[in-house]
Amino acid sequence: MKLETEMKVELSQFGPGQQMSFIRGTDLFGYVGIEAVLDQMRRKTMKSGFEFNIMVVGQSGLGKSTLVNTLFKSKVSRKSCTPNYEEKICKTVKLHSVSHMIEEKGVKMKLTVIDTPGFGDQINNENCWEPIVKYINEQYEKYLREELHVNRKRRIPDSRVHCCIYFLPATGHRLRPIDVEFMKRLGKIVSIVPVIAKADTLTIEERQEFKERIRQDLASNGICIYPQKEYDEDQEEHALNEKIRESIPFAVVGTDKEHQVNGNKVLGRKTKWGIIEVENVAHCEFSHLRDLLVRSHLQDLKEVTHNIHYETYRVRRLNEMYSAIAQCELELAPAPPVTQKLISGRR
């Protein structure tokens, strides 16, 4: 009865002349091999690799480079791989990207880290987010141009920003006006994951109160952060994402130094009171951030970028193009012939 009900539901969803039935594995006459498609996809992905582009935004001194290095356990930040790098405050917001090919257990990933030096470092930070918005839209435009070519590439290079990590200073108060304005504007075009930088400067109680205030500010200002509720596809995904939403913003600590703790080497920061273990959930929430970005939601971040943010940009740009073409055709069209009126006089 249950199977018949499911089949009726499926059949009612299709138009006339179309039928669909649900066949379980137990109803098959023998092994077909449909499950082998997963192995095919895995082999293809391992052979070609994939791309992941991450942007880090925040004022100087919040440990952006250190955190990115800690996330991927390698020197991937611009600061780490630039010889004779000098830390200086930029007069304007400039964007720099650096790419690396990372391989782990046969899986290749082209990682691009986009840094935003100069953001939030000036006395007057008005419109300091505009270069970042411009950069993100330029990557969408570049991808759209490749798609519109008559002879498209078999695989279009993807430079679109898949995730933006926004660093909040551990003030213990609330979101600053620059934080609100940035996330309100960027949340509409890219997936934002806010983090509390250098969270070891707060006590556990201060950290929880600060996180709660930030969540209140995000809700009251209508700021969209990843993962959004409206993109949850089923109950299982909703339950997983709900736990993440309850933890955001993640209170993180970054370091690339190892220390001995109970005979084991751990990543941590050494202080007078002890060692803050980066990957210990009792000390900070770095592990939650890493799991979100790499282990559980990396593919989803790419899909949200392509199906939501890029699609919104694509629709808008195509409408603009069609409107411009229609306007040109209207201007170039020949004027209609003037009807001559014959005025006949009385004879």
Side-chain angles (χ1 to χ4, degrees), residues 74-289:
S74 54
K75 305 287 186 180
V76 294
S77 69
R78 183 178 64 94
K79 180 178 177 180
S80 302
C81 60
T82 303
N84 303 321
Y85 179 85
E86 292 182 7
E87 187 77 41
K88 58 182 179 180
I89 298 196
C90 302
K91 294 182 179 180
T92 57
V93 179
K94 297 180 180 179
L95 283 85
H96 301 277
S97 65
V98 58
S99 298
H100 305 270
M101 187 62 73
I102 302 176
E103 183 175 352
E104 184 182 43
K105 294 184 178 180
V107 181
K108 297 175 183 177
M109 178 179 75
K110 182 186 176 184
L111 173 69
T112 301
V113 180
I114 303 107
D115 195 6
T116 56
F119 177 85
D121 293 333
Q122 311 304 318
I123 296 174
N124 181 7
N125 289 305
E126 186 178 2
N127 298 328
C128 62
W129 48 80
E130 287 185 354
I132 301 173
V133 173
K134 181 182 176 184
Y135 177 87
I136 293 172
N137 285 331
E138 282 175 350
Q139 308 317 306
Y140 289 150
E141 183 69 22
K142 189 186 296 184
Y143 196 90
L144 177 62
R145 295 286 178 186
E146 290 289 342
E147 274 192 336
L148 294 177
H149 284 165
V150 177
N151 297 318
R152 292 192 297 181
K153 295 177 181 177
R154 187 175 180 182
R155 184 175 181 181
I156 299 175
D158 190 3
S159 61
R160 298 169 297 179
V161 179
H162 300 127
C163 178
C164 173
I165 305 178
Y166 187 69
F167 288 71
L168 299 165
T171 60
H173 302 299
R174 307 190 82 94
L175 289 178
R176 303 167 301 167
I178 187 176
D179 303 327
V180 174
E181 291 300 321
F182 176 86
M183 288 192 281
K184 279 179 75 171
R185 284 166 170 78
L186 270 291
K188 299 173 183 177
I189 61 173
V190 71
S191 298
I192 295 181
V193 178
V195 299
I196 301 171
K198 297 188 174 180
D200 52 327
T201 59
L202 300 172
T203 64
I204 300 296
E205 293 77 15
E206 289 172 341
R207 192 171 76 185
Q208 287 304 118
E209 291 174 5
F210 188 34
K211 284 161 65 78
E212 187 57 40
R213 291 192 198 103
I214 290 173
R215 283 195 287 267
Q216 291 172 3
D217 289 345
L218 292 171
S220 61
N221 288 284
I223 296 172
C224 299
I225 57 170
Y226 182 84
Q228 291 97 318
K229 286 184 180 180
E230 55 267 31
Y231 303 151
D232 294 346
E233 295 183 353
D234 50 43
Q235 287 298 324
E236 182 182 355
E237 187 173 320
H238 177 76
L240 174 62
N241 289 344
E242 199 60 37
K243 290 181 180 178
I244 295 170
R245 285 188 281 266
E246 290 171 1
S247 301
I248 284 179
F250 298 113
V252 297
V253 178
T255 184
D256 51 5
K257 295 181 180 178
E258 291 184 333
H259 300 277
Q260 288 283 344
V261 176
N262 299 326
N264 299 319
K265 283 187 177 181
V266 297
L267 284 171
R269 293 190 62 207
K270 192 172 184 178
T271 67
K272 290 189 290 185
W273 302 277
I275 294 174
I276 302 165
E277 299 176 34
V278 169
E279 297 178 300
N280 188 338
V281 292
H283 294 185
C284 75
E285 295 170 332
F286 169 82
S287 296
H288 297 327
L289 175 66

